[in-house]
Amino acid sequence: MHIGDAVRAAFRGYRSRPSGVLPYYLLGASTAALVQTAWLVGVAAAYLTLSAQGNLAPIREELRAIGPVQIDDPASYEGSTAGLEAAAEAAVTPELLAVFAATGLVAIVVSLLANAVVGAGQVHAVYGVLRGRDPIRAGVEGIARDAVTFVALLVLQLLAMAVVIGVSIGGLAAGLGAGAASALLAFALLPALLVALLAVRLVFLFARQAVVVDGVGAVAGVRRSVGYARSNPADAVVYLLVSLGVLLVLAMLSAGLSSVGMSAVGSPIGLLVVFPLLAFVKTALYAEHATGRMPQSPKARGTIRERLTDEFRRGAAALRRFVVARPLLQAASGAVFALGGLAGWRFAAGVDGVLQASITARLAGWFPPAAFLNLAANNWQVGVAQAYAGFLGGIPTVASLLFNGLFLGALARIEVDPVELLTFVAPHGVVEIPGLIVAGAVGLHLGGVGVRAATGRADRADLASAVARAYRILIGLALVFLVAGAIEAFVSPYYAGLLGI
């Protein structure tokens, strides 16, 4: 099978069962909530460290001394901040640095491990589609079977990259200290380093597919990935370069969208389209190599428009059923969110009159179409992360709800014109906030499923059903956040003025 055949198989497979694969890519997006949880714990530890060392009070005093600062435009402040800078420098103790270093390390490790584990579900789901199996069940079984192996692959790849980078840095340092000629040779190592890193990437490129298709361990997976590259060098190199090019284009697109106020739009394009299609192409290439043939996935039925309409209709129905069936979970989610809001309000009392926010300043340069897409995409991604992260006992979901409540409560406390803020938030808030609360309730529900699975009271069929049900509800919530985004972009900034409020 050549790249062109693999691409055709990928599009056919993706079109036939997108709802069987996308839940695992949305599950990968929940990494954001896990990292957020780590940083919340870290910030709390830093706050306690500053308080215990007596370094928080001087910072507060200096903040009060410099007067109100607009957080929406801090560059507009024209007074001296020398005292604040000195107090902040004095607060940077070894203990505080250790807290932030530990937090950063934990966040990185959590992110890498979570992506590796979810990657097992993603590749198994893709291969399940290509084999005509139930991809949701295949993904759950794949995580149970190969999560540790995928983590081992990650460790091996990081070690290989560390060795390559370490050798290159050592050669560069030696060259710089041995005269001009050696320095030139050392700088010649830079392109060699790039080539070496690409070679490492090529060695591991098909290792995950080998683990899934051949049912082998991490070391054997790497060997078979190398074997594929040796047997099919053109396809391997072309796929590597094409995938890197696609990711570069996606990065440039995301940067372009960010420059026009749509920073949240690029991520869903990657999650819902680019990453699944790349996985389909890679898995199709390796599966044909390993088995000698490629089982054809079922042909998609109906037009794209008909299938999208059906997806949203089913999502709305699943959302409605969940809201009706789980009122206590929604009450619990709302209570956590409200508790975060109250805590944010009380915490911001310490900087009330020192830091100021202005909804008028934030609306400067408001462009409704761009704001609509950005708000809808951002809120939906928050809901997705909040929901699927709940599998870890619901803890990341609770942390996300608390964080969002803290942010809104603190922002409301330091707003210079609370009435104007309320008139802005009210129209879309009555849609957006319940949507986030329902997403939190989904996360709490999945937390219960995760706990039951860990204690042996739920099997893989229960987990697969929970993954699929959560996906449907999140599709329904996408409609909610589209409505909320449209109101916030096109109505909230203007209606109060039109009504003379």
Side-chain angles (χ1 to χ4, degrees):
M1 176 178 286
H2 297 293
I3 287 288
D5 299 320
V7 170
R8 284 189 287 273
F11 276 101
R12 179 185 175 110
Y14 181 74
R15 285 194 61 197
S16 68
R17 295 294 299 276
S19 60
V21 173
L22 292 181
Y24 291 98
Y25 286 89
L26 297 183
L27 187 61
S30 66
T31 301
L34 303 182
V35 172
Q36 184 183 75
T37 302
W39 278 109
L40 278 174
V41 174
V43 169
Y47 179 83
L48 293 175
T49 301
L50 286 169
S51 298
Q53 294 178 336
N55 290 326
L56 196 58
I59 294 176
R60 285 176 172 168
E61 290 175 4
E62 291 297 334
L63 279 171
R64 293 190 182 95
I66 66 175
V69 177
Q70 281 283 351
I71 64 170
D72 302 298
D73 186 17
S76 63
Y77 181 75
E78 298 178 353
S80 174
T81 59
L84 178 61
E85 291 170 5
E89 289 176 4
V92 181
T93 61
E95 294 81 3
L96 185 65
L97 290 175
V99 168
F100 279 114
T103 302
L105 180 60
V106 169
I108 292 172
V109 171
V110 165
S111 176
L112 292 174
L113 292 180
N115 280 315
V117 170
V118 173
Q122 293 169 350
V123 180
H124 273 281
V126 167
Y127 191 46
V129 171
L130 293 174
R131 294 178 62 194
R133 294 184 57 205
D134 176 8
I136 297 289
R137 182 65 182 267
V140 169
E141 293 175 349
I143 291 176
R145 191 191 85 179
D146 290 327
V148 174
T149 303
F150 271 54
V151 171
L153 283 175
L154 170 67
V155 172
L156 289 174
Q157 187 168 358
L158 290 176
L159 287 174
M161 295 177 69
V163 168
V164 168
I165 294 172
V167 170
S168 300
I169 291 176
L172 181 61
L176 290 175
S182 298
L184 290 175
L185 179 61
F187 281 114
L189 288 173
L190 294 177
L193 171 61
L194 178 60
V195 172
L197 290 175
L198 287 174
V200 170
R201 178 60 184 148
L202 186 60
V203 165
F204 287 87
L205 190 59
F206 293 90
R208 287 185 168 190
Q209 277 64 32
V211 168
V212 171
V213 174
D214 298 332
V216 298
V219 175
V222 175
R223 289 200 199 102
R224 298 193 184 200
S225 177
V226 173
Y228 175 86
R230 286 177 176 173
S231 302
N232 307 273
D235 284 345
V237 171
V238 168
Y239 175 81
L240 175 62
L241 296 178
V242 168
S243 62
L244 291 175
V246 169
L247 294 178
L248 178 60
V249 170
L250 179 61
M252 294 172 63
L253 175 63
S254 298
L257 290 170
S258 297
S259 67
V260 293
M262 293 191 290
S263 57
V265 177
S267 181
I269 295 174
L271 282 174
L272 302 179
V273 181
V274 176
F275 300 143
L277 283 175
L278 287 175
F280 266 107
V281 173
K282 192 195 300 188
T283 306
L285 284 170
Y286 187 84
E288 193 275 339
H289 164 77
T291 65
R293 62 186 180 86
M294 173 51 59
Q296 291 293 320
S297 56
K299 187 176 181 181
R301 297 180 179 179
T303 65
I304 294 178
R305 179 179 178 179
E306 290 171 344
R307 299 187 69 197
L308 281 175
T309 301
D310 183 60
E311 283 289 296
F312 282 116
R313 179 184 59 79
R314 295 173 66 184
L319 174 61
R320 183 171 59 253
R321 287 194 298 269
F322 180 80
V323 169
V324 172
R326 304 285 180 174
L328 293 181
L329 280 178
Q330 290 161 75
S333 176
V336 173
F337 183 84
L339 180 63
L342 178 61
W345 178 272
R346 296 190 63 179
F347 179 79
V351 293
D352 196 12
V354 177
L355 300 179
Q356 292 182 342
S358 170
I359 185 61
T360 302
R362 291 197 296 278
L363 291 177
W366 189 260
F367 182 56
F372 161 60
L373 294 174
N374 194 63
L375 291 165
N378 179 71
N379 289 332
W380 186 61
Q381 289 175 89
V382 170
V384 168
Q386 202 164 260
Y388 270 133
F391 270 118
L392 292 181
I395 294 172
T397 299
V398 171
S400 180
L401 287 166
L402 284 173
F403 173 80
N404 287 307
L406 276 165
F407 178 78
L408 290 178
L411 198 64
R413 181 66 181 253
I414 63 175
E415 170 64 38
V416 295
D417 191 339
V419 174
E420 185 175 359
L421 178 65
L422 179 62
T423 57
F424 171 76
V425 171
H428 64 271
V430 296
V431 180
E432 178 184 310
I433 292 176
L436 291 173
I437 289 173
V438 171
V442 174
L444 296 178
H445 169 67
L446 294 181
V449 176
V451 169
R452 290 196 297 275
T455 55
R457 291 178 293 144
D459 57 19
R460 293 176 184 177
D462 296 324
L463 286 170
S465 177
V467 169
R469 188 182 306 113
Y471 170 76
R472 292 292 178 203
I473 295 169
L474 289 169
I475 293 298
L477 282 173
L479 293 173
V480 172
F481 291 128
L482 282 169
V483 172
I487 296 172
E488 184 171 0
F490 294 98
V491 177
S492 294
Y494 309 113
Y495 87 101
L498 295 174
L499 297 177
I501 299 176

